[in-house]
Amino acid sequence: MAQCSYVLMYVMLCKLVHNRMNTGTAPYDNDDDDDDDTPPSFATLSDDIQLMIASFHLPLDLLNVACVSNQFRGLNVDRIWKERCSERWKEWPRYRMSSSRISYLESKLPNTCWKQRFLWVEKDVVRTTLDQEEFESLGWYFNFTPSAGGRGDETLTRCIFRNGLLHLARLEYPPMPYRLDNVNSSQQRLIILPFPSHNIQRIDEDKEWLITNENVTFVSCGDEGELRFKMRGFRQNISFMHIREVPF
């Protein structure tokens, strides 16, 4: 549906350009005063009109046009890429555009444009391994599966991984040592002895981390604590929730 809307806007804009040309207010750069009914190419349009057309493009379109047009590559489309980033990330709480997120990107990717940041995030959201520092920097939710005594929202709680220990204070468990084991370059497991190992993956819907075994589920969350995951009996009856407080 979005692609159709962009195509329709593009066609309407092209008609507008053509009409303006026919009324003597052509929005393109042409120093030749001779009459010529040949429609101008994209390269002869003014920068403002080219940018207006580019603003309707989806990310893949922007990348493809830049591959074949020297004129387009010379345009400053950073504002357009920033808009595409905001649209792309809005359903991913961890990546959603905010002042703190922008500060993080500026620190993580200094001296980069929004196109480079967009492409970096596209790779980051499919990454399936993380180091201990990142792992412990994340917020986490925990719940038992129904077969292990989980009761949806009633047993849902926050937990913390810190200094090599898992803290589940609200459940009155003592801190438990954990480690991350690399199965291969793209697969990890969470080990919390003496329990069965846990698989680590990403959630397609919001790109959060999901850690599971047959008895428990851990789901990561951003700074605001937004939670959407509802599978494996994790939650019930609510579309999303926030639990801001930490267990200690």
Side-chain angles (χ1 to χ4, degrees), residues 33-50:
D33 293 332
D34 295 337
D35 292 335
D36 187 356
D37 293 333
T38 303
S41 67
F42 181 83
T44 62
L45 296 174
S46 68
D47 286 355
D48 287 345
I49 295 299
Q50 290 184 33

Side-chain angles (χ1 to χ4, degrees), residues 78-106 113-115 117-118 121 223-224 226:
D78 202 46
R79 175 187 60 81
I80 297 172
W81 273 109
K82 184 177 181 180
E83 292 173 356
R84 296 295 90 82
C85 288
S86 180
E87 293 166 359
R88 177 67 165 163
W89 303 342
K90 64 183 179 181
E91 297 300 326
W92 306 341
R94 176 172 310 287
Y95 298 92
R96 188 180 296 149
M97 193 80 76
S98 65
S99 58
S100 61
R101 181 64 185 172
I102 292 174
S103 296
Y104 170 81
L105 290 172
E106 291 173 345
C113 62
W114 282 100
K115 172 186 172 181
R117 295 169 184 177
F118 181 95
V121 169
D223 293 340
E224 294 297 313
E226 185 172 332

Side-chain angles (χ1 to χ4, degrees), residues 128-130 135 180-181 186-190 198-202 209-212:
T128 53
T129 62
L130 65 173
F135 186 73
L180 296 171
D181 272 6
S186 62
Q187 184 180 3
Q188 280 181 315
R189 295 181 301 179
L190 172 66
H198 306 71
N199 296 316
I200 299 177
Q201 56 188 304
R202 302 297 284 269
W209 294 91
L210 174 65
I211 301 177
T212 62

Side-chain angles (χ1 to χ4, degrees), residues 219-239:
V219 177
S220 69
C221 63
D223 293 340
E224 294 297 313
E226 185 172 332
L227 177 65
R228 298 171 183 265
F229 186 75
K230 293 192 292 184
M231 300 176 65
R232 295 170 57 87
F234 204 71
R235 294 168 42 238
Q236 298 172 349
N237 303 325
I238 47 180
S239 58

